[in-house]
Amino acid sequence: MRGRFITFEGIDGAGKSTHLTAAAQLLESYGHAVLVTREPGGTPVGEGVRTLLLEAPMDACTETLLLFAARAEHVRRLIVPALEMGRWVLCDRFTDATYAYQGGGRGVPEAAIAALERWVHPDLQPDLTLLFDLEPAVAATRVGGARTIDRFEAEQLEFFARVRSAYRARAQAHAERFVVIDAGANIETVRRQVLEAVRAWISQ
Ligand code: TMP
């Protein structure tokens, strides 16, 4: 049987990556073979593109094309083969992130993103998307810390406000697969919401 494709989305600092690990452990405890991966990244080409994207200043058009180049590798070489083998793929960001960051954040036309989406993965959409929703000002306090911040994390609050509202618009437009998590709560409460959402979705 084909596996399931679950994606984790949200603005930088929303805490999705921490909770992705907890969700993976829950699914493994149910006996599923789980593959955890991320975008941009997940393949040698994708990880190379990731370094460029996070560090090199570039035009929003270039950025969008690079994201989809990395995604083409990821979908064809990793995600689809894993799903066909029956594995459950948990992906830290996918195409919703391009609609939110490049579309909402940078103003890339939605139609351009939709055209690339149709080309790169016409037959693949997440089965479930967890959106970690959080005030940009709160998220900003969680980003950074000891490590140096990347090109996206260095953006202003207004940028993240646009990204957030684009994410929320997508959650409304695709309500059949989105669950919105209140990522402003404390870590234990967020974890409970995530595990509850995954359990509820599986039992449907
Ligand atoms: P990460 O911090 O979740 O690992 O993601 C790296 C950055 O890449 C993050 O700041 C958001 C950005 N990004 C986009 O702008 N568009 C995309 O389509 C994806 C997948 C990530």
Side-chain angles (χ1 to χ4, degrees):
M1 201 177 119
R2 189 180 180 275
R4 298 282 181 275
F5 184 33
I6 304 179
T7 57
F8 291 68
E9 298 282 359
I11 61 172
D12 291 86
K16 64 191 163 41
S17 311
T18 315
H19 299 290
L20 193 153
T21 309
Q25 284 166 354
L26 176 74
L27 293 171
E28 276 166 354
S29 79
Y30 288 167
H32 298 297
V34 172
L35 172 73
V36 171
T37 185
R38 68 173 180 181
E39 289 212 346
T43 65
V45 168
E47 291 295 330
V49 170
R50 179 186 178 91
T51 306
L52 262 178
L53 279 165
L54 297 190
E55 291 171 10
M58 65 183 76
D59 187 83
C61 173
T62 317
E63 193 175 277
T64 307
L65 291 169
L66 283 176
L67 281 157
F68 271 102
R71 187 163 294 140
E73 282 290 297
H74 199 202
V75 166
R76 285 166 175 70
R77 290 183 188 262
L78 197 72
I79 297 175
V80 168
L83 291 171
E84 282 172 355
M85 283 170 58
R87 298 176 80 183
W88 285 44
V89 178
L90 270 54
C91 193
D92 195 338
R93 300 192 187 282
F94 193 59
T95 299
D96 292 309
T98 313
Y99 281 102
Y101 278 78
Q102 282 63 49
R106 304 242 194 263
V108 172
E110 194 176 319
I113 299 172
L116 289 167
E117 178 183 34
R118 276 195 301 276
W119 184 29
V120 170
H121 57 92
D123 305 319
L124 179 71
Q125 285 296 327
D127 297 299
L128 171 68
T129 298
L130 300 179
L131 172 59
F132 291 73
D133 183 53
L134 181 65
E135 283 284 339
V138 178
T141 64
R142 298 183 183 173
V143 170
R147 66 188 179 83
T148 41
I149 57 171
D150 65 43
R151 207 165 60 80
F152 291 97
E153 291 165 341
E155 288 288 347
Q156 302 299 308
L157 285 183
E158 300 78 65
F159 174 84
F160 288 108
R162 292 196 299 276
V163 174
R164 182 194 193 194
S165 66
Y167 265 135
R168 286 159 67 119
R170 288 200 60 80
Q172 274 195 348
H174 301 278
E176 73 293 345
R177 71 171 162 92
F178 266 88
V179 174
V180 180
I181 303 288
D182 172 13
N186 68 52
I187 192 162
E188 192 41 47
T189 309
V190 176
R191 186 170 178 277
R192 270 206 304 276
Q193 287 182 67
V194 170
L195 298 184
E196 199 36 58
V198 174
R199 279 195 206 100
W201 178 73
I202 288 176
S203 65
Q204 265 172 25

